[in-house]
Amino acid sequence: MNRNDQLIANDDGYGLDADFVSAKRPDLSGSIGGRMGSNSATPGATLGPQTAYTSSSLPGGYHSNTLDEPILTTIARDFGKVGRKTIQVLYPKGRDNALQEWDLWGPLFFCLSLAIIMSFMAPGQQASAVFTGVFALVCIGSCVVTLNCKLLGGHVSFFQSVCTLGYCISPMAIASLVSVLAHRIIITLPVVVVAVGWSISAAVGFLAGAQLANRRLLAVYPICLFYICIGWIIIIS
């Protein structure tokens, strides 16, 4: 056996492995458990996303976690907000802070109320068509007026503008109810005129913070046309 064969026979492969095993390795245990598995919080530590979400500052203006509250409490709170915003439209005092937290429950309620009342005033065969037409007119008209305000450079969010226009329909809903009960044009006409002026005044006042500068007239004209069309439908019905 020559020298090379003897070296190969003596080297069984365990020498290198033994040196590798005996080498000091860094301790990697506890890295995941220390970050993910620990539930204890040290004083002064920064709150994580889940803790911040369930704290006192929640999206939408809520100051507590509402996921576990009773459904009746949620409904009562939402109806209370709709009532307060409706009063702000009917009695516009302190408009600077009115309708800052937008919602679509109030506009939907007044839109459905107006469409249902108008369908009652229509002939039997046209009730469905009148309901659909009034509902579509209010929804599409609010979106068009809002887009016009946005295109003119108004600093107002889309849903906040739709919310404001929807709440300002409340005087029109009241006028349509008076029209159903009165059935006389001599009573309906002045009530509708007052309701149209009331709605326009409220909508223009609430959207005054859009900062339209010299384009204010271009934004007010579609608002006036929107409520005048609804008032005209109430009169001819």
Side-chain angles (χ1 to χ4, degrees):
M1 180 181 294
N2 55 23
R3 183 177 179 81
N4 292 334
D5 295 337
Q6 185 178 2
L7 291 175
I8 295 174
N10 293 332
D11 187 9
D12 55 359
Y14 289 101
L16 181 60
D17 293 342
D19 295 338
F20 180 77
V21 171
S22 62
K24 185 178 181 180
R25 301 179 184 179
D27 186 11
L28 299 179
S29 62
S31 298
I32 297 178
R35 295 182 182 180
M36 302 286 295
S38 177
N39 294 327
S40 60
T42 58
T46 304
L47 297 178
Q50 183 178 3
T51 307
Y53 182 78
T54 56
S55 63
S56 59
S57 57
L58 295 176
Y62 296 107
H63 300 284
S64 60
N65 193 350
T66 60
L67 295 178
D68 299 329
E69 69 177 7
I71 185 64
L72 294 179
T73 304
T74 303
I75 294 176
R77 185 185 64 250
D78 292 339
F79 270 103
K81 289 184 177 180
V82 171
R84 287 191 298 270
K85 293 176 182 179
T86 304
I87 293 175
Q88 289 176 351
V89 172
L90 298 177
Y91 183 65
K93 181 180 180 180
R95 287 177 172 175
D96 294 336
N97 298 323
L99 301 178
Q100 293 298 322
E101 297 179 1
W102 60 266
D103 68 87
L104 299 180
W105 291 112
L108 179 62
F109 171 76
F110 290 116
C111 180
L112 288 175
S113 300
L114 181 63
I116 292 173
I117 294 173
M118 297 299 295
S119 64
F120 285 157
M121 298 170 60
Q125 298 179 352
Q126 301 179 1
S128 178
V130 170
F131 177 88
T132 304
V134 172
F135 188 86
L137 174 63
V138 173
C139 295
I140 297 176
S142 300
C143 294
V144 170
V145 172
T146 300
L147 289 177
N148 176 70
C149 184
K150 295 287 289 183
L151 292 175
L152 291 175
H155 298 281
V156 61
S157 65
F158 180 85
F159 289 108
Q160 183 179 0
S161 178
V162 172
C163 172
T164 301
L165 295 172
Y167 272 102
C168 291
I169 296 177
S170 54
M172 310 296 297
I174 297 174
S176 63
L177 183 60
V178 173
S179 179
V180 170
L181 298 176
H183 288 292
R184 299 184 63 179
I185 189 63
I186 193 173
I187 299 177
T188 302
L189 182 59
V191 171
V192 171
V193 170
V194 172
V196 169
W198 202 335
S199 297
I200 294 174
S201 176
V204 172
F206 287 131
L207 295 178
Q211 301 178 3
L212 294 171
N214 297 328
R215 300 178 179 179
R216 182 181 177 86
L217 183 60
L218 296 176
V220 172
Y221 171 73
I223 295 176
C224 297
L225 186 62
F226 173 61
Y227 291 111
I228 289 175
C229 289
I230 297 176
W232 176 250
I233 293 175
I234 296 175
I235 293 175
I236 64 177
S237 298

